[in-house]
Amino acid sequence: MYFAALLARTEDGWEASDTELDDVETLADLADLAREAAADEGETVLVFIEQEDAWFGVVRVDGEDDPRVYVSHAAAAARSSYGEILTSELLGDDDPDSELDELDKLADLDGTEDGEPEHATDGDEDDASAGSARIAPAGPLGDGRILADLGMSERTLLGLTDDALGEIADAIGASEILEAVR
């Protein structure tokens, strides 16, 4: 079970809304969703994502700046659909299909003609695919200082466990707002 919420910082404090992530496929999609939640251009928007007791993630979007991401347990997040969006960006994993498309375009550079077999050994394919993806660590990943200027130090963020999103909301002064959308 997932929980996702958007918290937009305004002149009057924080505004929260729950959100559906069904149409989100990339971190760029998530950042666009966050920017749409901002009342004014350039406002800070936090995206909270949580999977029951397994992991939580925070994405921070400040105007048109690149989103900043923190994930509490990258290995667990990488095994979930929404967490994979965050971890793949942090780990620098590209879409495997696009890599294959690029390789297909370069097929003639390997010395074979179209339609001619490539005589690869059994291990060649495995070695190539293993090097293209990095393994997510069984711990935090991303920008630990993502909330430092909002009142939560990196050390505190790294130590969160049970109700992490509630503790974050409390530290930034948005606990009542978050509870309203939970």
Side-chain angles (χ1 to χ4, degrees):
M1 185 76 165
Y2 289 96
F3 168 74
L6 298 169
L7 278 76
R9 189 175 184 185
T10 68
E11 291 177 6
D12 300 325
W14 292 95
E15 293 180 6
S17 59
D18 59 344
T19 188
E20 290 294 322
L21 301 177
D22 294 340
D23 296 332
V24 173
E25 294 180 8
T26 65
L27 184 58
D29 293 342
L30 191 57
D32 290 343
L33 183 68
R35 287 183 186 104
E36 290 172 12
D40 292 323
E41 192 174 318
E43 287 182 341
T44 296
V45 178
L46 301 177
V47 181
F48 287 172
I49 305 173
E50 177 179 57
Q51 184 181 9
E52 286 180 12
D53 300 327
W55 64 273
F56 71 90
V58 178
V59 177
R60 179 176 177 162
V61 178
D62 295 304
E64 292 300 317
D65 292 348
D66 288 340
R68 296 166 53 195
V69 180
Y70 174 82
V71 178
S72 65
H73 193 285
R79 292 187 299 268
S80 70
S81 57
Y82 299 125
E84 182 185 26
I85 293 168
L86 306 180
T87 58
S88 65
E89 183 75 22
L90 291 170
L91 293 170
D93 295 346
D94 293 328
D95 179 19
D97 292 336
S98 66
E99 286 181 21
L100 292 175
D101 291 344
E102 290 297 317
L103 290 175
D104 286 344
K105 291 177 187 173
L106 299 174
D108 290 336
L109 297 179
D110 65 0
T112 63
E113 297 294 324
D114 286 340
E116 188 177 320
E118 288 188 28
H119 306 297
T121 63
D122 290 341
D124 287 349
E125 276 187 46
D126 294 338
D127 293 343
S129 64
S132 67
R134 291 180 40 204
I135 296 175
L141 181 66
D143 184 355
R145 298 192 38 80
I146 192 170
L147 303 169
D149 65 324
L150 299 175
M152 178 163 278
S153 70
E154 180 175 12
R155 184 177 186 167
T156 303
L157 183 62
L158 292 171
L160 295 177
T161 55
D162 294 333
D163 182 23
L165 296 184
E167 290 181 46
I168 292 170
D170 189 44
I172 65 172
S175 58
E176 291 178 18
I177 302 292
L178 181 64
E179 287 306 315
V181 296
R182 268 194 168 172

